[in-house]
Amino acid sequence: GAGVSQSPSNKVTEKGKDVELRCDPISGHTALYWYRQRLGQGLEFLIYFQGNSAPDKSGLPSDRFSAERTGESVSTLTIQRTQQEDSAVYLCASSLEIYTDTQYFGPGTRLTVL
Amino acid sequence: DQQVKQNSPSLSVQEGRISILNCDYTNSMFDYFLWYKKYPAEGPTFLISISSIKDKNEDGRFTVFLNKSAKHLSLHIVPSQPGDSAVYFCAAENNAGGTSYGKLTFGQGTILTVHP
């Protein structure tokens, strides 16, 4: 079956511009997670959704970052006024339920801020 | 504050031999540990996990060992195959009391290369 998909796969933008990253989770998965991986570092947890709700947004790096999920399906991660330190691979994962269920990752979106 | 550390950025092993990937953690509240494998241009895929009530979990060629007193876990791959060449991430979670929401804390990853 279809796995987690993310678009675009690559995004190059200029400093100060806004970007939107999209995640399509596996159908029926109630939990959705966003991570980012900066060069040479591990995956950094950003935010999770249970259904369409994001109970804990404390992992978002700054108020320039926001995320939403609709229809318990697609999620978008928006970064406003991008900075060079936002350059990273942004990974989305989904799982059937919120707890210790296996998280299935998408291929990621590589964001480069010039 | 790096709560999960993989101190070896890379490991090179001959086909057929054992690969041992190590991971250390500092947060004593972590009680569930996972290993993920990542190929280039793909997302990480789940490999094997272990709960803190166990000290070993085995799945085919993959075995994870947990030493809680040392806050250390390791992944053994025996025998190693060229197709195992990938980046391996360990991850940890605090699932005590069912309060976890799946937040995983990842290490930096170790690049494993298995030579034919």
Side-chain angles (χ1 to χ4, degrees):
Chain A
V4 178
S5 61
Q6 292 185 246
S7 60
S9 54
N10 276 286
K11 176 72 177 178
V12 180
T13 190
E14 292 180 350
K15 178 181 171 181
K17 299 278 179 132
D18 298 351
V19 295
E20 245 185 38
L21 312 179
R22 177 187 168 110
C23 172
D24 286 86
I26 294 172
S27 177
H29 279 196
T30 62
L32 186 147
Y33 309 83
W34 282 98
Y35 295 84
R36 76 173 174 183
Q37 184 183 16
R38 290 167 156 169
L39 192 64
Q41 298 185 23
L43 280 71
E44 174 189 3
F45 177 84
L46 298 179
I47 191 170
Y48 81 100
F49 287 89
Q50 185 167 13
N52 293 331
S53 300
D56 181 3
K57 300 181 181 178
S58 62
L60 294 175
S62 75
D63 58 8
R64 296 185 295 103
F65 286 71
S66 62
E68 66 172 17
R69 188 180 185 196
T70 56
E72 298 198 358
S73 180
V74 173
S75 176
T76 54
L77 177 69
T78 302
I79 310 173
Q80 295 178 309
R81 305 181 302 281
T82 51
Q83 303 293 313
Q84 288 183 333
E85 64 261 28
D86 299 334
S87 296
V89 176
Y90 289 81
L91 289 152
C92 172
S94 71
S95 65
L96 197 57
E97 297 292 343
I98 202 73
Y99 296 111
T100 53
D101 216 48
T102 302
Q103 294 182 25
Y104 296 87
F105 283 81
T109 293
R110 180 175 297 278
L111 174 66
T112 304
V113 182
L114 301 177
Chain B
D1 176 30
Q2 191 76 27
Q3 297 187 61
V4 178
K5 295 182 183 180
Q6 294 175 256
N7 292 317
S8 297
S10 63
L11 175 67
S12 184
V13 170
Q14 203 68 32
E15 180 179 7
R17 307 294 286 268
I18 185 171
S19 295
I20 300 176
L21 298 138
N22 293 303
C23 179
D24 297 291
Y25 62 96
T26 57
N27 188 341
S28 57
M29 298 300 290
F30 288 144
D31 56 7
Y32 192 70
F33 304 89
L34 308 91
W35 284 93
Y36 279 80
K37 179 168 78 171
K38 184 181 183 303
Y39 293 117
E42 295 183 12
T45 55
F46 171 75
L47 196 55
I48 192 169
S49 63
I50 188 167
S51 164
S52 60
I53 61 173
K54 293 185 171 183
D55 55 17
K56 177 182 173 182
N57 189 26
E58 194 171 348
D59 183 4
R61 296 184 297 114
F62 302 91
T63 303
V64 56
F65 295 92
L66 175 63
N67 183 334
K68 281 196 301 181
S69 60
K71 294 192 180 66
H72 177 84
L73 65 154
S74 61
L75 175 69
H76 292 210
I77 307 174
V78 182
S80 302
Q81 299 173 355
D84 296 329
S85 297
V87 180
Y88 288 78
F89 291 97
C90 67
E93 182 179 11
N94 175 10
N95 193 38
T99 58
S100 167
Y101 49 78
K103 175 183 176 180
L104 297 176
T105 302
F106 283 83
Q108 311 95 306
T110 297
I111 302 170
L112 173 65
T113 305
V114 180
H115 298 283

